[in-house]
Amino acid sequence: MTAIESEARSPGITYQELLDQDTHPVPDVLRLESPRYLGSADVPVTRYTSRAYHRREVARLWRRVWQFACREEHIPEAGDYVVYELAELSFFVIRGADGKIRAFPNACLHRGRKLKDYDGRCSEVRCSFHGFAWTLEGALADVPAGWDFPHVHERVDDFHLPECKVATWAGFVFINPDPEAAPFEEFLGALPEHFAVWDLEHRYVEAHVAKVIEANWKVAQEAFCEAFHVNATHPQILPYLGDTNSQVDVWDTFARVITPGGTPSPLLGWDPSEDDILRSMLDVRVDQDAPMALAEGQSARAAAAAASRERWRPAAGDRVDQMSDAEMMDSLDYTLFPNFHPWGAFNRIVYRFRPNGDDHRSAIMEVMFLAPFKGRRPPPAPVHRLGVDEPWTNAPELGMLGKVFDQDTFNMCNVQKGLEATFKPGVTLGNYQESKVRWLHQLLEEWVGPDAEDATPVDVRR
């Protein structure tokens, strides 16, 4: 490894140097650094365009990996259930009368009809086709015209609904269809230690928006795994976002990109004043007065962080006074392989990306806002589902992020089209800024194996 490969960084203040200027103590988790040079080989285009590779993903990844299915608050009472689907796979996650959360393949053991068509609550799991029924815990409870099924009564253990592995962390419910899967704690690694200071468990789903994206799930996900795209995709935020000064850290099953706010991009091309930075953050026109002013010697970053503390004080209380400017201002974007993206501090954002049904050229992108609260936990927001042609701005609960997501989505669709049209066999990534994308592909290769054109396809259906 050369010095250029291991140490190349953008000009300008580093993230750690920016932390040195913080007006509050910085948590130890933000002082961690774990850069990794993961090589410079191209990523095969077929991972995004090949039907055969998609089928390998279903067989070797989605049928075997731990994956985020819902929040515990989505199923608070006995009989509450959520349907979770991906490709042709369908499961329902349900809370039993004993309070335990279980997940079952969404199929009747009589003739195979889906047992649950949508989220809801039930006192039993009864098939809508012929009426076979199970308890909330999966035990066979009723066989209509049982006289005709003595063989079922003789094999009652075979007619217990098969269970997937289930685990919880920080209020999130994960499932794994593979009975031989490694323990969830092993897969999670040190991620709980990173989030201990931010306590995502005691949050509520303030907003939940889902949209169909006309691109492979990895194309959609990778748009949120680096900040390098900001200069061309979101130029309006360059005066106050240190895009190429992001810190990228890679561990084993999770990685993160920290992008600083309240500091200008090195790619901006001019040096904004602190007032310029603040006005840009507040989206103030040239002919308007800013709604807040900087104190003498105060940076825009510190002023915006102070305002953010006051914004969150009614919900989070005085603990905001212990939170650093970085926690108030920066994008702390973590990814747990393969597709779960919780953000740190009060960013509220959680992303999930998955194939849209069995279509390798479209995906479902979901955005949740996890907000702090006082008193009794508010009920989770219902899912606001946007159609493929609807803009994110049709979901006003996303605020200004709706406009940003629309810019991202415009790219995603055109990335997919370009990958289908290109003569170049591989996608070229930066050594540092896009190392989180490369990390995803290295783990993907470990799970899925060689690319489809280089090996016999697995379970290729069309």
Side-chain angles (χ1 to χ4, degrees), residues 275 278 282 290-296 298-299 303:
D275 188 61
L278 182 64
L282 298 174
M292 58 184 288
L294 295 173
E296 185 176 353
Q298 187 181 35
S299 70

Side-chain angles (χ1 to χ4, degrees), residues 228-440:
F228 180 40
H229 71 278
V230 168
N231 80 95
T233 305
H234 313 297
Q236 75 276 11
I237 64 179
L238 289 178
Y240 62 88
L241 196 78
D243 52 354
T244 60
N245 279 344
S246 297
Q247 177 176 306
V248 185
D249 298 308
V250 174
W251 285 277
D252 294 324
T253 58
F254 68 94
R256 72 181 181 186
V257 176
I258 305 177
T259 302
T263 185
S265 166
L267 302 178
L268 184 60
W270 55 283
D271 294 324
S273 66
E274 293 298 326
D275 188 61
D276 291 332
I277 296 171
L278 182 64
R279 291 177 65 87
S280 293
M281 280 193 287
L282 298 174
D283 197 21
V284 178
R285 297 198 314 259
V286 175
D287 61 340
Q288 288 181 314
D289 293 329
M292 58 184 288
L294 295 173
E296 185 176 353
Q298 187 181 35
S299 70
R301 178 177 168 87
S308 183
R309 290 188 188 91
E310 296 312 309
R311 174 193 174 195
W312 286 113
R313 190 178 300 278
D318 291 341
R319 65 191 176 106
V320 297
D321 294 323
Q322 279 68 58
M323 299 189 76
S324 60
D325 298 344
E327 292 167 280
M328 293 289 111
M329 294 299 299
D330 300 337
S331 300
L332 312 175
D333 183 0
Y334 281 76
T335 299
L336 176 68
F337 183 81
N339 66 333
F340 174 57
H341 298 243
W343 284 36
F346 284 163
N347 286 286
R348 298 183 295 165
I349 294 174
V350 175
Y351 296 133
R352 175 171 63 183
F353 304 87
R354 50 186 163 144
N356 178 32
D358 197 25
D359 181 6
H360 66 289
R361 291 187 173 96
S362 70
I364 299 172
M365 173 180 167
E366 291 173 86
V367 183
M368 291 185 186
F369 283 174
L370 290 187
F373 62 91
K374 276 189 174 180
R376 187 174 181 178
R377 185 196 303 271
V383 183
H384 183 171
R385 301 186 189 279
L386 297 174
V388 67
D389 295 322
E390 280 192 90
W392 288 97
T393 48
N394 277 12
E397 59 268 42
L398 296 178
M400 65 175 291
L401 281 177
K403 296 179 181 179
V404 175
F405 292 154
D406 281 337
Q407 291 173 313
D408 287 315
T409 302
F410 181 72
N411 275 344
M412 295 172 198
C413 303
N414 284 294
V415 167
Q416 185 68 35
K417 290 176 181 177
L419 291 172
E420 302 283 352
T422 186
F423 285 11
K424 185 170 178 280
V427 172
T428 303
L429 301 170
N431 287 341
Y432 181 73
Q433 292 182 90
E434 295 172 312
S435 56
K436 187 178 175 185
V437 177
R438 191 178 297 281
W439 160 79
L440 284 165

Side-chain angles (χ1 to χ4, degrees), residues 116-129:
K116 297 298 179 185
D117 299 323
Y118 42 78
D119 303 347
R121 176 181 292 177
C122 61
S123 59
E124 62 180 1
V125 179
R126 185 173 290 273
C127 180
S128 298
F129 194 5

Side-chain angles (χ1 to χ4, degrees), residues 188-239:
L188 200 59
L191 191 64
E193 299 169 24
H194 284 240
F195 278 84
V197 68
W198 298 314
D199 189 19
L200 296 188
E201 182 174 358
H202 296 97
R203 304 280 185 94
Y204 81 102
V205 179
E206 183 182 29
H208 188 176
V209 184
K211 177 174 167 58
V212 174
I213 306 293
E214 291 181 306
N216 184 272
W217 71 275
K218 296 183 292 298
V219 169
Q221 172 167 273
E222 289 163 15
F224 299 92
C225 290
E226 43 83 9
F228 180 40
H229 71 278
V230 168
N231 80 95
T233 305
H234 313 297
Q236 75 276 11
I237 64 179
L238 289 178

Side-chain angles (χ1 to χ4, degrees), residues 9 42 118 131 161 174 366 413 443:
R9 299 292 183 273
D42 284 0
Y118 42 78
L161 293 178
F174 293 80
E366 291 173 86
C413 303
L443 282 184

Side-chain angles (χ1 to χ4, degrees), residues 45-164:
V45 167
T46 50
R47 294 190 184 177
Y48 309 95
T49 63
S50 166
R51 173 75 184 164
Y53 192 82
H54 163 72
R55 292 307 314 164
R56 293 177 69 85
E57 285 182 343
V58 174
R60 296 188 173 184
L61 179 69
W62 299 118
R63 289 183 180 272
R64 297 173 49 210
V65 76
W66 285 102
Q67 50 204 284
F68 164 49
C70 66
R71 290 276 296 177
E72 289 188 67
E73 67 197 83
H74 286 129
I75 48 173
E77 305 294 337
D80 289 341
Y81 63 89
V82 168
V83 176
Y84 171 69
E85 296 182 316
L86 185 151
E88 74 274 13
L89 308 179
S90 183
F91 310 92
F92 65 97
V93 184
I94 190 168
R95 190 178 292 273
D98 57 1
K100 183 178 177 181
I101 298 173
R102 296 174 176 84
F104 302 106
N106 193 9
C108 177
L109 299 183
H110 170 218
R111 295 274 292 278
R113 193 228 192 262
K114 287 178 65 177
L115 289 168
K116 297 298 179 185
D117 299 323
Y118 42 78
D119 303 347
R121 176 181 292 177
C122 61
S123 59
E124 62 180 1
V125 179
R126 185 173 290 273
C127 180
S128 298
F129 194 5
H130 295 90
F132 275 57
W134 288 263
T135 68
L136 302 181
E137 293 72 40
L140 184 64
D142 184 30
V143 179
W147 57 266
D148 202 21
F149 293 90
H151 46 300
V152 169
H153 296 296
E154 292 168 1
R155 300 163 47 205
V156 65
D157 289 344
D158 293 338
F159 281 82
H160 190 290
L161 293 178
E163 292 189 34
C164 300

